Amino acid sequence: EAIKQLGDQTFAVRERAMKLLWNAGDAAEKHLREAANSSDPEIVRRARVLLDRIAYRIDPDTPAEVVRLMERFRAAAGIPSEQSQIIREMLRLGGKCDKHLLRMIVAVEDKQRRLILDEFAYDDWKILSSLTAGGQDSLVEQMLDQAIGAQNDSIVPHYAAFHAGSGKLDEKLAHFRQRAGSGLVFDARVLLALYRIKGDRDGAIDAAKKSENTYWIRQSLMEKGRWSELLAQHSLRPGAGMNAVAELGLMAAYQRLSGQDKDLPDTLKKIQEFAGDKGQRRDNRAWYATKVLLVNEQPQLAMDMLAKFELGNLAAEILLSQARYRDALALTEKAARAETGQQFIARGQHIDFLHRLGETAKAGEWLDGLSKDMGSTTDPSWLDRQIKWEVKLGRRPAAEKRFLDRLDNRDGSSLGAAFALLFPALGDKTETIWAMLVQAHPSDKPADLLKRLRQIEDRAYPKDQLELLLRSNVPVNRNSDTANFDAVGQVVSQMGLADVAQGLLVAANWEKASASAKLHLADALAIAGRWPEAARAYRFVADLESSAPLPLFLHAQARLKTNPADAEAKTLIERAHRMPLGGDTMRLDFYESLVERGFPDDAFREIEFLCRLLANNTSILGTAQDRLARALADRGDYLSAAVLLERNILRVMPTSMALAPAAFGRITSNIHIARARGLLQQGKKAEAFKEIEQAEK
């Protein structure tokens, strides 16, 4: 009643209502938030005033540091970046700030609130991951509600991901179904995200159409395999310019997969015509046309296209992937013989092919001739290639001598690639370890330092000296004073130096090391089976980088190694799985880390969830679906893997999607191989052999 009276015609009634609501305080807050969206401007104005008073009310038990932050927030009115930074500082103080935090966000004007919330979107709402790690689900939910109310696009996948585990998913679906039915496009996008996270593909198609988003309409129909509907829509949308070939490629795919392929020959002809005539164009049209022909399972037409435009280098890669070695070598040799002077692309490909096929002596002859033509050129790309080929062909002494000459010349070129080629086990960490050796042994000649480096690579370096090296030097890059702690952390982990790891975690010169570097040190303890120490180290890293799910997950797993009945550890694992929310990049990184570290079930859970997200980065969705297909095949669910591969392959049709040439000739065969395995499981041999024949084609 008092809320209604805020808009009364009588001033005294309005003032009396203001006083009542102000005294009601917390009890009135929810109603005032609703009133702030009223159609009556007087009610809105007075509700805002009251919310502001409630937001900045200082109770007797309000901590002093919270009061200071509240005062700073109020003084920073109109500066969203500063206000969002103050909110981050409040969050670090924990639960004592929660009620003040939300009040302050609600109290500002709608436009200002949107700007403040936008600040959190810049780092993909990692603030929500930190709160989830701390078990503050209630605060996360309220912040999500505020961002959804402000119609912040980037929050949508996070909102859906949160409610996947909130127990309120059906309730939210019903709410946004009603709103989307009224023609509200933003709410339709939220509905789409909720349907996807639930796994309701039919509902997602309907919501995608309401959201008026062409990409998600196509994607939703594709994931459901509704090829006839896609074909009907696509025929109304011809492509133009360089994108025309991708649209033609999709047209051919829809025709094939829907079984309505009477017009397929005409579409294939248009794809070929897109490339034009030989000598007419200098752009990549011939390759783009070849690519969509390969995706549409037309290998012969594709190879004819490459032959017509004399793209022998691309044709050779595809022939090699098809195990047509003689044909591939004939093409690379023809191109190599035609190349002269200080050019090395064609001859380099021929050397690579000869090496891959075991023709080491012939590859060496070609390399000698090429090196003679290149003379004394100092082109770094050539020098790196030269060292690479010498290492591959077993000419390591020559490669090392060439490398030492480059060190002496000091021409300023990066030697990172050359270091990694000579020391593949250390890889991109080699240059940092070299710099530390230079620090530790300043009187050693480069050749002697190279011998030390080789001993470290071969794990033959005296352990006490290696530990002293890694402990006593601040790691630096060769050409700068920037510390490279990550490289040292990886070496410590790779070599299982648990004692070194324990020491570096508390070393003063490692205080500035990144959380990822310290994670590698914790890994060394885990590899050594020192689980209590590993658990503490992972917890330390989790506190340093509170938005990252991996250290918290590994902390919990280390605790379970010590005590399999640790209930809190199991809770923390669940929190780690929830932490990425709708962060597609974060969730993909988490998945890949879990695969690498040997947690297949947890990894499968992540990749399956990621494929249901309304990804902000659509390329990540395609990658995730490929990974899920691989995981399904590993589990023996070949038919599901085949379906996923067939539907996901169409994402590579656009000209912007780049894969190695050979991949385009192989990815279609993977569909048929998976389907054949699934059919064999069911005893359907005749159908399986048809799939095998198509894969061979």
Side-chain angles (χ1 to χ4, degrees), residues 348-480:
Q349 186 187 38
H350 190 51
I351 292 168
D352 279 332
F353 274 36
L354 287 167
H355 169 256
R356 287 160 71 179
L357 298 176
E359 298 283 355
T360 306
K362 288 183 180 178
E365 291 172 9
W366 276 95
L367 178 57
D368 291 338
L370 177 56
S371 298
K372 183 178 179 182
D373 281 357
M374 296 301 294
S376 58
T377 180
T378 57
D379 176 3
S381 62
W382 156 248
L383 295 173
D384 285 342
R385 293 279 189 92
Q386 190 178 26
I387 288 174
K388 179 190 80 169
W389 287 320
E390 286 176 337
V391 170
K392 280 187 172 184
L393 298 178
R395 300 178 174 185
R396 187 179 181 91
E400 288 189 4
K401 182 179 182 305
R402 199 172 306 283
F403 177 74
L404 289 170
D405 289 342
R406 290 181 70 182
L407 276 173
D408 288 341
N409 291 337
R410 297 179 183 177
D411 60 0
S413 65
S414 170
L415 293 179
F419 270 116
L421 288 165
L422 285 167
F423 302 96
L426 289 173
D428 58 3
K429 304 174 285 293
T430 311
E431 193 167 13
T432 295
I433 303 303
W434 170 272
M436 295 174 73
L437 285 169
V438 171
Q439 285 180 327
H441 305 281
S443 60
D444 273 15
K445 296 178 180 178
D448 295 327
L449 292 172
L450 212 60
K451 290 177 183 177
R452 291 181 185 273
L453 201 53
R454 193 180 311 120
Q455 286 181 306
I456 294 173
E457 166 92 356
D458 297 337
R459 302 199 178 194
Y461 201 68
K463 186 177 179 182
D464 58 336
Q465 292 185 38
L466 178 59
E467 291 185 357
L468 184 64
L469 173 73
L470 296 172
R471 278 178 172 168
S472 62
N473 287 268
V474 175
V476 296
N477 291 315
R478 187 174 62 90
N479 295 317
S480 76

Side-chain angles (χ1 to χ4, degrees), residues 543-664:
D543 291 339
L544 280 176
E545 193 170 2
S546 60
S547 65
L550 182 62
L552 185 65
F553 176 88
L554 295 174
H555 161 73
Q557 291 289 352
R559 284 175 55 170
L560 288 174
K561 290 287 186 180
T562 304
N563 176 17
D566 189 334
E568 185 185 3
K570 294 175 183 178
T571 298
L572 292 177
I573 287 173
E574 289 305 307
R575 281 190 199 166
H577 276 296
R578 293 198 71 194
M579 279 176 65
L581 291 178
D584 43 24
T585 303
M586 185 189 295
R587 202 170 280 278
L588 182 62
D589 290 344
F590 187 33
Y591 156 78
E592 289 178 341
S593 296
L594 293 173
V595 170
E596 180 185 351
R597 290 161 188 274
F599 295 98
D601 292 337
D602 291 280
F604 185 84
R605 175 177 171 179
E606 284 300 318
I607 203 65
E608 192 277 332
F609 191 91
L610 179 53
C611 287
R612 288 188 279 123
L613 272 180
L614 185 79
N616 281 323
N617 185 337
T618 53
S619 66
I620 284 181
L621 176 59
T623 300
Q625 289 179 333
D626 277 345
R627 300 287 193 276
L628 179 58
R630 184 188 305 165
L632 288 167
D634 288 342
R635 290 172 168 235
D637 189 355
Y638 297 115
L639 292 178
S640 295
V643 168
L644 197 54
L645 285 169
E646 187 167 60
R647 294 174 184 179
N648 191 42
I649 194 176
L650 303 190
R651 72 184 172 88
V652 304
M653 209 75 80
T655 56
S656 57
M657 287 297 297
L659 296 175
F664 288 106

Side-chain angles (χ1 to χ4, degrees), residues 4 48 60 85 87 121 125 134 154 158 206 237 271 279 312 328 337 422 479 504 524 530 535 563 572 581 629:
K4 292 178 184 176
R48 287 279 181 216
Q85 178 57 36
I87 290 171
W125 295 93
S154 67
H158 297 284
D206 184 58
R237 191 177 55 249
I271 292 170
R337 292 192 181 285
L422 285 167
N479 295 317
L504 293 179
R530 290 161 57 167
N563 176 17
L572 292 177
L581 291 178

